[in-house]
Amino acid sequence: MAVTDSLERTLGDGGQTKGMWAWTVLRLLLGWSFLWAFLDKMFGLGFATCRVPGENGPSNTIDFMCDSAMINGGSPTFGLLEFGTQSSETGGLFRWMASSGADSIGIADVLFMLALLLGGVALMLGVGVRIAALCSAVLMLFMFLAIDVWPEQNPINSSHTIEMAAFLGIATVGPGRFALQDWMVRTFPFMSWAK
């Protein structure tokens, strides 16, 4: 109890929401996962993008800034929209958004990357958290519908539904005390709408 009480004093919101420290940590982790996905897809840092395939599957070799990186003209959504949607019952609703090839950038690519960047930055900084969390929940819903409806491992639950529920929880409780929201509103009063 001493550890959670200390976390509550440091990261809580003054006692309004019990366990706010946990929501704050979850907000930061999800924000970082969005921001990292953006950086990896944009610059080909070798985690989900630019990993050199080995003879028997993925290898530990990374081809930094490869042709799959968006900065080099690679489409960050082509593989998912063209091939990942095939196993989903509702994937056909999203397949039309795929760019014409892995080396062409379409509007879906730009919007997806903007969602990752803006959502990640907002969640990490604690600015516009409710809007960012709601938009991120909608993105997770679309990803669930595109690739996970009736997945092979679990017919109901997937990482996208778990993240969607987490984003809805974050939108409900807000940014907490460890955020720049209050500073932003004091400094830029016209931004008070962005909560």
Side-chain angles (χ1 to χ4, degrees):
M1 291 302 259
V3 172
T4 58
D5 289 342
S6 174
L7 287 169
E8 189 67 44
R9 281 190 302 279
T10 306
L11 298 174
D13 63 352
Q16 293 178 358
T17 304
K18 191 72 173 161
M20 188 64 195
W21 65 270
W23 286 108
T24 301
V25 170
L26 185 61
R27 172 178 61 83
L28 292 170
L29 290 172
L30 287 171
W32 175 247
S33 72
F34 266 42
L35 193 56
W36 179 257
F38 168 81
L39 293 170
D40 185 42
K41 291 175 187 323
M42 178 60 77
F43 300 108
L45 301 178
F47 289 85
T49 309
C50 297
R51 179 78 57 169
V52 177
E55 292 178 22
N56 298 325
S59 72
N60 290 329
T61 307
I62 298 170
D63 181 14
F64 291 105
M65 302 285 286
C66 70
D67 291 339
S68 296
M70 190 173 181
I71 199 165
N72 290 330
S75 169
T77 63
F78 178 75
L80 178 119
L81 292 174
E82 187 65 27
F83 307 111
T85 56
Q86 292 176 358
S87 64
S88 174
E89 298 295 322
T90 55
L93 298 172
F94 299 91
R95 204 167 296 124
W96 65 271
M97 288 190 248
S99 55
S100 59
D103 59 350
S104 66
I105 296 174
I107 189 71
D109 298 310
V110 174
L111 293 175
F112 178 68
M113 293 296 280
L114 275 174
L116 291 176
L117 176 63
L118 296 176
V121 168
L123 291 167
M124 290 292 294
L125 295 179
V127 175
V129 168
R130 287 191 163 99
I131 295 169
L134 286 173
C135 292
S136 297
V138 170
L139 178 63
M140 290 299 108
L141 174 65
F142 286 161
M143 291 184 78
F144 172 76
L145 291 173
I147 60 177
D148 287 336
V149 173
W150 300 110
E152 294 175 14
Q153 293 82 13
N154 188 326
I156 308 254
N157 202 4
S158 76
S159 64
H160 296 113
T161 56
I162 293 168
E163 288 179 74
M164 183 175 56
F167 282 127
L168 291 174
I170 291 168
T172 301
V173 299
R177 193 166 60 181
F178 189 71
L180 295 178
Q181 179 71 35
D182 292 337
W183 171 84
M184 185 192 73
V185 171
R186 281 193 311 274
T187 308
F188 308 104
F190 62 91
M191 292 296 293
S192 62
W193 62 271
K195 294 186 181 199

